[in-house]
Amino acid sequence: MNVTLLVIVGAAIILGLASYAGYLLLQLKKQKTLQQQHQFLAIEKRNANIFESVNILCMAGIQGQCDLSEISIRVYNIMDYVQGEARVDFDAEYPAISELYHIVKDMPRGEARQGMAKQERMKHNLTRQKAEGRLNDTIIEELHALKKRVQPLNNQIAIQMV
């Protein structure tokens, strides 16, 4: 009888531990699912903020409030931070903006530009203005297309911790 009692107690302990392990596995699965949902929402919120900025930059470029070279630098760089399925291959989809970006990306700006010799600055200005003049209409069209593309995606997502 003692052996039977020990077997029953042992089986009860093993059954209890097995059910507790199963419970912990279910909790782990729920936690991983919740983490994936939070990560997805965080990416969506970040992309929405980026798209809001890109929308404003596109409007500034379309309305002529900023140089197209400055717009191309800002839009090209900020769109590099988009994550997930909304990521854009800028070189393939917006070739004029990409071309202008690659022309002016290495040109000094700000204080570095002020420290350059006047002749060198004029040379850079001429190169930039030629590229802007040549690509102006195409870039404006691409800015319209980009604005349309990011506008429906520009939705603010409220994230609440559960």
Side-chain angles (χ1 to χ4, degrees), residues 95-111:
I97 295 173
S98 177
E99 181 181 347
L100 184 59
Y101 167 76
H102 289 297
I103 290 171
V104 299
K105 71 178 179 181
D106 295 326
M107 290 183 182
R109 297 175 12 187
E111 290 182 20

Side-chain angles (χ1 to χ4, degrees), residues 110-129:
E111 290 182 20
R113 179 177 165 77
Q114 297 301 324
M116 292 173 49
K118 185 175 181 177
Q119 188 174 8
E120 190 70 22
R121 271 194 314 234
M122 296 302 264
K123 180 181 169 187
H124 285 296
N125 279 349
L126 183 62
T127 304
R128 180 180 54 81
Q129 288 172 348

Side-chain angles (χ1 to χ4, degrees), residues 61-78:
I62 291 167
Q63 295 172 357
Q65 296 175 356
C66 189
D67 290 338
L68 291 180
S69 57
E70 188 67 28
I71 293 292
S72 69
I73 290 170
R74 290 174 187 251
V75 168
Y76 192 95
N77 285 327
I78 198 169

Side-chain angles (χ1 to χ4, degrees), residues 41-51 81-83:
L41 287 174
I43 287 172
E44 288 295 313
K45 182 173 174 134
R46 181 174 187 214
N47 285 350
N49 288 337
I50 290 171
F51 293 148
Y81 290 103
V82 174
Q83 294 178 322

